[in-house]
Amino acid sequence: MNLLLLRSAILVAMAAPAVLLLLLAVPSLWSRPWSEEQAGWLTRAAFLAALGGLAVAGICFAAGPRQRILLRLGDWFSREGGFAFDLLIDGWSLAFAALAVGICGVVSSFSFRYLHREEGFHRYFVLLVSFVFGLELVALAGSVEALFAGWEILGLSSALLVAFFHDRPAPVDNALRVLTFYRIGDACMLTAAVLLHHWAGSDSLSLLFSGGVGRLAFLGSGRILLIAVLILAAAAAKSALLPFSTWLARAMEGPTPSSAVYYGALSVHAGCFLLLRAEVLLRSSAAACVLTAGVGLATAAYAAVVGRAQSDAKSRLCFASLTQVGIIVVEIALGWEVLAFIHMTGNICLRLLQFLSAPNILHDLRQLENDRGARLQASEEPAGPFARAIYLFALERGFLDGLIELWVERPLTRLVAGMDSLDRRLYRLPLALLGGGDEDA
Amino acid sequence: MPERLAWLLGLELFPAAVLAAYGLGLRGRPLGRLAAVCAGLLTAVSAVGLDRESFARLSIVLIPFAAFLWFLGTTVTPTTRLEDAGLARAAAACGLELAAFSTTSPIALILVWAATSALLAADHSGEHFRGARRLVVSHLGLSTILLAAGIALAACTGAGALRQTGLALVFAAVLVRKGIFPFHAWIPELFERGRIGAAARFNAPQLGAYVALVLAVPHADSWLLRSVAGLALVTAGYGALLALYQADARRACGYLFVSQSSLVIAGLEIPNRGALAGALILWVSSGIAVAGLSRAVLALEARRGRLSLDVKHGGYERMPLLAISFLVMSLAIANFPGTLGFIGGEMLARGAVDSFPALGFFAVAATALAGLAAIRMYFSLFCGKRDSGARLGLLPAERLGFAAAAVLLIGLGLAPRRLAGVLNRASSGVLEIQRTVAVR
Amino acid sequence: MGRIAERDLVWALRDELVARADEPIAFGLTRLALRSRIARHGVREASGTSLAWLLRETDTVGAAEPLWQACLEAARRAPRLFGAGRARSFRRHRDVLLADTGTDIDSWVNPALVRLLGGFLDQGLARWSMPGASRGLYACFMDLYSHRWARFCGRWAEGLAAMINEERRLGLGPEDSLRRSLDALGVGTDAAYPFLEATALVLRGWGGMVRQLEERPDWAPARSRPAALLDYLAVRLILERAALLYALRSKADPARGLADLAARLGRRAQPERAPSLEEHAWRLFQAAQACGLTAEQVASLSPGELAAFAAELAVFDGLARRRVLHAAYERRLRAGFCDALNGRRPRHSASNPSVQAIFCLDEREESFRRHLEETAPEIETFGAAGFFGVAMYFQGVTDARPRPLCPVSVRPDHYVGEVKADPASAVVRWRRARRRQAGRFGMFLHRFDGTFLGGYVITALLGPLSIVPLVLRVVFPSLSRRWLRALPLPGAPATRLLLDCQPVAPPVGRRFGYAKEEMAAIVGGLLRGIGVADRLARLVVVAGHGSTSLNNPHESAHDCGACGGGRGGPNARAFAQMANDPAVRDLLAREGLAIPPDTWFVGAMRNTCDNSVTFFDLDLLPASLEPEFNRVAAIFARARRKEAHERCRRFESFPLRGGYGAALAHVEARSQDLAQPRPEYGHASNAFCVVGRRSRTRGLFLDRRAFLMSYDPESDGDLSILEGTLASVVPVVAGISLEYYFSRVDPTGYGCGTKLPHNVASLLGVMNGTQSDLRAGLPWQMVEIHEPVRLFTVVECAPERLERVLGRLPAVRGLLDRRWLFVAALEPESGTLYLREASGYRAWVNEAAVPSVEGDSAAWYAGKRQHLPIAEIIAAPVPA
């Protein structure tokens, strides 16, 4: 009975945002949307249902034997295709899912008043609810397909929310850039999933996430390292670790609550959660561990330095958050799972509160001056021989944009331009074959 | 027996339903009569070519697919771009494709191959399209000759090297028509200089893939299959990259066609049931998606003139339904979860990586790039500027067509069980033939 | 024509066309008749492909096919004239390059410049300030970007470091560098001014901030940087030169390329395109439909008539039509106000009122004063400049820095501090200790938040705990405020204002405190100005106003304009303390202004966001006035609930049937809610200004749209008071009106767009995201309900006397002549209104009856959310 209750609770938790998504999306597609109050009540009901479901599941799980449970929810595409859609329930997944739904509930109650009378009100909530659904999928995913589906929904909803104000060119350009980085991450993850299925035979993630170190030994260290690197790349693209850190500052174009929940809190930590789940992978390959720790440390150092020269509220916050994300990745690489999860929860909640009250910074600093009874001492100038270079490095956010433009974009566009001009001449090939003579068609 | 009945029903009911929608969507079009004639032609031709049990299951899917493409084409094309003769040619081309999809006899297929090419050339009559017409005549003429020679060679010489060269010629014909490297350049050129509606109508059903699947794939040697798959793969990545780079919306549509159809061809060459079924699903999803994108570009062009992708056009608030439908179709190309493309992409990548690992990665990279290119088109055509132009909303017919395309891609994506089942059985049928041929 | 009457449209057209109005054009229609028909029918603008689509795909022509054919025929015959000619011309090299090649160098240069300016002007938000910032922007830039890493800023910055190092080698200052850049860009000395103006306006937010800090360094919140517009332009042109040379790199000689671009400056961007046949016919077709013409009439047009008709249509396009309709609506609004005031019987409070209240002239006080008067008819209210004549630097007892509280144009001389009445009390020490701890904890958070180790400690330890404030402040804002107030904390201790002159030098300004004579001048000036000098009541409340809200970088826009965006509470308190000072009363008595001994002034502060009213120095109130004050406090409490209810009708999230209590709770929640982008609507819907006695407007429902400045014409023989009043009040009020006007007419150009993506930059302003221009102007959420109309001021004074005063006020006259302000004179004796027009003063003839309703304001506004016409509120007869 315990398992049945757990299964139904999880189903409710997963179904609530999905149903809400359909309820919000379909009427506004046919331009007869709900009124703001109705949408408000629907969303509150769905979030409470999801939270209730997860709470019940948590209680059942705690009451039960507390080891991993694989819920098979039947087959997604076709019986023979072997695309099982199943969920993996354990301490981490329930905790992260509950955190995700709770935080998004708080942000949605903030957004009702903040986006009152806004032109894209319904579009915003459709994207926010699809973000919650994607997060739940990532948290509770049992099979590779579910994890990959949740991962992509996450990416698309955050890119479309960066382009929320799509009557201006800047958010749209930045959204496309953000989506490019996410697509690179998604491609890496899909490749890792396909390779894992190819080599390990089963697509169940329980293989990846559970069991001792020995479970994956049969793959051979080279293959493990390749899968680990691909998973790390996917996590790095989503959590803006180096070298993908350039899109984080660009993603601040959306409304404050969406920037808060995506880039201050949950979306940035989804990568860390993925690494947390892929603990077995890291444990079974020392090289992967060192690489992950290295990337985390480098990102933390990079963000700490760059964050010191940022003179606007949201940049300061997102680089502060990125510093902690880098440290969390190092903690995960070193295997301190519990500390990493607590640190992640702390960073999520603190950054969300700071982001939501970011416009209040004038008020807060004046209050701080009055409390201290003295003027805020002027921020000091960086000292030392390389002061100028370090400050320029920090001001230009580590030149990441420029370097990517120089080393990646420029050669690629030159190559593609060459291909395009080749094409404009190539179509005359059959004309020549048929002896049709080559005049300008 | 149930397949035959279901398939006959498909032949009869679906076009009738389409004609009803045709009347509703296009009030005042004088060609109701001609459409009725086409329905009659369609029934007669398909009754003749009916054999080869194994491909019946494939036809059950492809016939409604081709009919839907025709319905989408005629409802959303503005009258300024499609006069009455164009409607007649579209109806005739659909009739021919439905006939081709219901038969496997080589002669019928060659006839349809040539006739559809002639129709495309007829679409580009007149001085203005002289360049495009020369393009079509040269390429499709070459491909028809290759096909005829290939079939003749393969049919009369039994087994052995000569038969394989025959099949190679058939593949060459398919490569030219479908626009696979090195013959891919004419499709974007046709989209840029010719009629975008006619080009989309010609490319969307991917008749070349059907001919390859029916005539050549079961009988070809593995080295031939691998080389064609390799060429198709290169084109998939190449086309997607160039679609991302294009400044002109029409050329971008052309390259998207090249990229998606070559992905389908690459999938068909894999002797693995899951991959083949995935390729068939991609065939349907990319056909609808890219045809829908091209039709949307045509509808926007009729309102705003030539569209450049380097400029932001705005206009989401004026046509939210078209914008959302365009986004759904872009996501189908990107194989996004929840759309039909995701199912096809997953099955293709999963099945391919076992027998042809290179294909698995390349397919993933190509879809990622193609998805980005499509979403870039969405951002450029609908976002980025407060649209202050004249208030030109969607007509009822356009609303019907684009909504149907979006609902179909999402609906099948969320409940793919039936479609995937049918196509799985169809792919196993093809593989059986391949085994029996190999044994012989 | 819902809200515009026929006569308004005719007036607006005649006002614009003046003599040319009655020239016949075609079909027996004069120019005025033709334009009014087109204005009413509306022109659906379509051109090129969209017009072709419209004609073929939709049935817009439909039944009028013959008329369309006739118009096509006529269009062939008529000369096709160009439109109203609004095409823009090339002003910078970037525009020419963008038109030719489509590459936009601004997308390369602006992000780098925004980051540089953000870092340079930063007021303390960043941990590091720019090294060598004290040497100016140009020096910092040359210092930083001469580093070899500068080329990693992007491919456009390849030649940047080399260019900068060469200029450093030549030892150029900003001026020489600017001149060198202009020469290199091929801009001659005569073309320099428009070119530099266009360059400065690319980032007008940041550029404007640099100029502001250059002109008024004392406004810098924390530290004033040596910002100079010259430095900014020099830096910008260096960056643009580097970007242009990169963009022209493919050319043989890039330097020559710059000269070619410069040659095309000033020329038209797009070649003038004559309208196509269909476009021309489309305009004729719509005009013909507007005038109700038939196909035969159009066909029978003579060439001359046709040419005149076509010429008229070319000039009177969509923009011209919208301008006429806008002017017509403004006249409709003015007519409503004139009807209400013209010949109206003045309504007085009780002959000798027991209570008088002096408020700011802000239009948000109009509704509070009206509710006060409805609740207690014996109260007499006045309106004055919100700083009550007390221009000072004020430092509160808990403030770290003094703040100027006076109009923006005034630089105060006096410094006034606030001190604890009893500094040694235990409560004071406890609260100071709590504040110190909070300060230390806040400083720890602020400094170490972004760092490596400090951040780690904060997020790992404090992070999880922050769930509690997160959920409380976001999901249950009003609940958390109620709990906070319920905490048993000791109340704020009593404080005093140090008004008297102190010998010591003040931290800022020239004199510490006020001399008695200065106090007397201030008190006398105000009391005479508002005409209450000889009939003071026993209790006089002086109320300044301000606004408190959370998460609102534009909070000071809701505060008092006369106090330079500060809260007027300290000014009101200082005035009351001055007026209660016996020495000051003696000086005034000597000048003939005898304040009755038992009169007492009470300072107060009204919060226009949560409608709270706080009274100051109540412990100094004489015991005899205790019952009187309690009655007044009760009246104020009832009035603030009713005014909250009137304000809530404009908030869509408040149900129309809600009661007074619910309304008050709603506005209180709004001012404490992190998620509320609209704490209050501020000056939105301002339209009128009245300088005259309250009796002229008392009893009128003005829908919070009128600034009310008290002025008594009887006691102003030599017009000196009127001149002083108009000189100080009209520029401030016109400034507010035009700020809202432009932010509503162009929300993203003059206004700063929606608040949602705003990000506080360098503690100086807000920008969208992290790399946009600084956004000046008002956000959309503040102007969404505002009707952009130009201010209409009614002065209670004879027309010729008013004209004489206006002659002596160049600033006000300038606004009038450029038609940003409309003025009318209300003849005090006869009460007739004279509207000032170009041709002189014209007596107003009432056009419509003024609606009237019995009861109180709620009877008129209940259940309605939109703008309401002005109505007469007739008090219900008090049951015997």
Side-chain angles (χ1 to χ4, degrees), chain B residues 256-270:
Chain B
L256 277 179
F257 256 117
V258 164
S259 161
Q260 291 298 302
S261 60
S262 54
L263 205 59
V264 170
I265 286 285
L268 296 181
E269 317 300 336
I270 298 165

Side-chain angles (χ1 to χ4, degrees), chain C residues 664-701:
Chain C
L664 189 61
H666 185 79
V667 289
E668 279 166 358
R670 269 182 182 269
S671 76
Q672 290 299 323
D673 185 1
L674 271 178
Q676 187 49 256
R678 296 169 184 76
E680 62 166 295
Y681 271 131
H683 294 289
S685 74
N686 71 75
F688 313 112
C689 174
V690 177
V691 180
R693 284 170 294 193
R694 174 61 177 157
S695 55
R696 291 293 174 187
T697 53
R698 183 172 175 137
L700 269 183
F701 179 88

Side-chain angles (χ1 to χ4, degrees), chain C residues 679-865:
Chain C
E680 62 166 295
Y681 271 131
H683 294 289
S685 74
N686 71 75
F688 313 112
C689 174
V690 177
V691 180
R693 284 170 294 193
R694 174 61 177 157
S695 55
R696 291 293 174 187
T697 53
R698 183 172 175 137
L700 269 183
F701 179 88
L702 295 173
D703 197 15
R704 292 166 64 91
R705 307 192 71 164
F707 297 93
L708 302 174
M709 177 70 190
S710 294
Y711 160 70
D712 185 358
E714 259 88 24
S715 65
D716 182 19
D718 59 358
L719 294 176
S720 60
I721 297 178
L722 182 60
E723 184 182 342
T725 307
L726 291 186
S728 63
V729 163
V730 168
V732 168
V733 172
I736 291 174
S737 156
L738 290 176
E739 178 187 26
Y740 273 75
Y741 179 94
F742 287 115
S743 293
R744 180 65 177 82
V745 163
D746 182 0
T748 50
Y750 289 117
C752 60
T754 173
K755 253 180 174 174
L756 304 189
H758 279 178
N759 172 17
V760 176
S762 314
L763 295 182
L764 286 170
V766 286
M767 57 179 176
N768 289 331
T770 54
Q771 278 178 355
S772 89
D773 189 9
L774 220 52
R775 306 290 298 157
L778 298 176
W780 171 251
Q781 280 79 0
M782 278 174 73
V783 293
E784 57 190 359
I785 64 165
H786 180 60
E787 283 181 341
V789 288
R790 286 165 289 186
L791 190 71
F792 174 51
T793 305
V794 173
V795 183
E796 190 178 356
C797 148
E800 58 289 344
R801 285 163 57 92
L802 177 60
E803 199 54 32
R804 215 177 323 124
V805 170
L806 289 178
R808 303 206 287 261
L809 296 172
V812 177
R813 190 135 195 108
L815 285 172
L816 268 174
D817 298 342
R818 289 193 295 276
R819 299 171 69 90
W820 286 118
L821 185 66
F822 294 91
V823 167
L826 186 62
E827 228 283 329
E829 290 75 24
S830 63
T832 50
L833 196 72
Y834 294 87
L835 207 57
R836 183 179 190 278
E837 287 170 353
S839 53
Y841 285 84
R842 186 174 58 80
W844 175 260
V845 175
N846 279 19
E847 292 174 357
V850 177
S852 71
V853 69
E854 198 168 294
D856 61 1
S857 305
W860 178 244
Y861 70 72
K864 305 188 185 92
R865 285 204 194 281

Side-chain angles (χ1 to χ4, degrees), chain A residues 196-387:
Chain A
L196 188 68
H197 177 79
H198 177 55
W199 287 332
S202 100
D203 67 3
S204 155
L205 282 180
S206 56
L207 180 76
L208 189 66
F209 295 157
S210 63
V213 170
R215 286 293 297 277
L216 294 171
F218 66 93
L219 285 176
S221 63
R223 287 182 173 175
I224 292 177
L225 183 61
L226 178 61
I227 293 184
V229 164
L230 286 172
I231 295 261
L232 177 63
K238 190 72 75 183
S239 298
L241 305 178
L242 282 180
F244 299 114
S245 303
T246 167
W247 62 261
L248 191 61
R250 290 175 171 278
M252 294 299 140
E253 296 277 350
T256 305
S258 84
S259 313
V261 76
Y262 280 89
Y263 312 112
L266 291 169
S267 173
V268 166
H269 291 82
C272 303
F273 178 75
L274 180 68
L275 291 176
L276 195 67
R277 296 312 297 252
E279 195 60 44
V280 170
L281 208 58
L282 295 179
R283 291 281 74 70
S284 45
S285 152
C289 257
V290 167
L291 182 65
T292 313
V295 166
L297 207 60
T299 308
Y302 160 80
V305 167
V306 168
R308 279 182 163 67
Q310 299 308 312
S311 59
D312 58 280
K314 286 185 179 174
S315 298
R316 217 169 139 263
L317 280 176
C318 78
F319 281 106
S321 176
L322 188 59
T323 315
Q324 298 314 314
V325 165
I327 296 176
I328 291 168
V329 166
V330 171
E331 285 165 357
I332 294 170
L334 298 178
W336 305 331
E337 286 182 351
V338 178
L339 176 64
F341 196 84
I342 293 170
H343 191 183
M344 193 154 65
T345 318
N347 199 29
I348 286 176
C349 298
L350 184 68
R351 297 312 170 192
L352 185 71
L353 181 61
Q354 288 178 328
F355 252 101
L356 290 182
S357 52
N360 216 30
I361 191 124
L362 292 169
H363 213 278
D364 297 344
L365 289 186
R366 196 177 311 129
Q367 187 62 36
L368 187 60
E369 273 187 355
N370 294 343
D371 287 351
R372 294 185 69 252
R375 183 180 287 247
L376 278 180
Q377 81 265 28
S379 37
E380 73 275 10
E381 294 179 6
F386 305 105

Side-chain angles (χ1 to χ4, degrees), chain B residues 156-408:
Chain B
C156 63
T157 56
L162 211 57
R163 180 178 171 76
Q164 288 311 321
T165 46
L167 291 176
L169 285 178
V170 168
F171 273 120
V174 167
L175 293 188
V176 171
R177 176 170 176 131
K178 305 264 313 118
I180 312 281
F181 194 84
F183 306 108
H184 66 285
W186 72 281
I187 290 188
E189 206 62 32
L190 176 66
F191 268 85
E192 185 172 13
R193 293 221 243 114
R195 285 184 192 280
I196 189 169
R201 188 206 71 224
F202 177 79
N203 281 305
Q206 299 179 29
L207 187 62
Y210 182 76
V211 165
L213 187 62
V214 167
L215 298 182
V217 165
H219 315 291
D221 287 353
S222 63
W223 66 267
L224 188 59
L225 290 177
R226 272 193 190 286
S227 54
V228 170
L231 268 180
L233 262 179
V234 167
T235 317
Y238 182 90
L241 198 59
L242 278 162
L244 192 57
Y245 170 79
Q246 288 309 318
D248 176 40
R250 283 168 161 240
R251 267 185 89 83
C253 286
Y255 276 111
L256 277 179
F257 256 117
V258 164
S259 161
Q260 291 298 302
S261 60
S262 54
L263 205 59
V264 170
I265 286 285
L268 296 181
E269 317 300 336
I270 298 165
N272 168 304
R273 202 169 57 74
L276 193 57
L280 295 178
I281 293 177
L282 267 187
W283 180 342
V284 172
S285 108
S286 67
I288 295 177
V290 184
L293 285 192
S294 316
R295 300 287 179 189
V297 166
L298 182 62
L300 290 172
E301 217 176 66
R303 291 171 168 78
R304 303 177 183 159
R306 208 54 186 265
L307 299 170
S308 153
L309 293 180
D310 293 341
V311 173
K312 297 284 185 298
H313 296 268
Y316 181 96
E317 278 71 26
R318 285 265 141 48
M319 293 183 261
L321 184 68
L322 180 59
I324 292 168
S325 168
F326 195 98
L327 183 62
V328 166
M329 288 185 259
S330 316
L331 295 179
I333 291 173
N335 292 355
F336 190 75
T339 63
L340 191 55
F342 178 71
I343 321 292
E346 278 288 309
M347 291 169 84
L348 179 67
R350 172 71 56 78
V353 87
D354 299 341
S355 55
F356 195 168
L359 176 74
F361 312 132
F362 234 83
V364 165
T367 18
L369 283 173
L372 260 181
I375 291 176
R376 167 181 174 250
M377 283 174 76
Y378 162 75
F379 278 139
S380 164
L381 295 177
F382 293 99
C383 306
K385 183 162 76 75
R386 167 79 45 194
D387 181 14
S388 54
R391 296 180 164 284
L392 304 173
L394 281 180
L395 298 172
E398 291 171 329
R399 195 186 293 272
L400 182 70
F402 286 120
V407 165
L408 203 60

Side-chain angles (χ1 to χ4, degrees), chain C residues 313-375:
Chain C
L313 295 182
V315 171
F316 193 66
D317 61 358
L319 189 63
R321 171 177 170 266
R322 287 194 294 275
R323 186 175 63 239
V324 164
L325 288 177
H326 194 152
Y329 176 69
E330 280 184 325
R331 187 198 178 280
R332 166 85 342 250
L333 209 58
R334 276 201 306 278
F337 193 58
C338 292
D339 291 349
L341 287 183
N342 185 26
R344 177 171 181 272
R345 195 175 47 73
R347 296 253 207 92
H348 297 282
S349 66
S351 56
N352 47 7
S354 61
V355 184
Q356 286 166 335
I358 305 172
F359 292 93
C360 174
L361 55 89
D362 191 307
E363 83 281 32
R364 287 171 287 183
E365 302 300 0
E366 182 271 331
S367 57
F368 190 76
R369 288 167 67 178
R370 178 166 21 94
H371 283 291
L372 269 184
E373 286 154 3
E374 283 168 7
T375 314

Side-chain angles (χ1 to χ4, degrees), chain C residues 107-130:
Chain C
S107 62
W108 304 338
V109 168
N110 284 352
L113 204 52
V114 164
R115 285 194 294 269
L116 178 73
L117 283 168
F120 176 75
L121 296 176
D122 179 43
Q123 300 294 312
L125 196 52
R127 186 73 193 294
W128 286 340
S129 62
M130 187 171 277

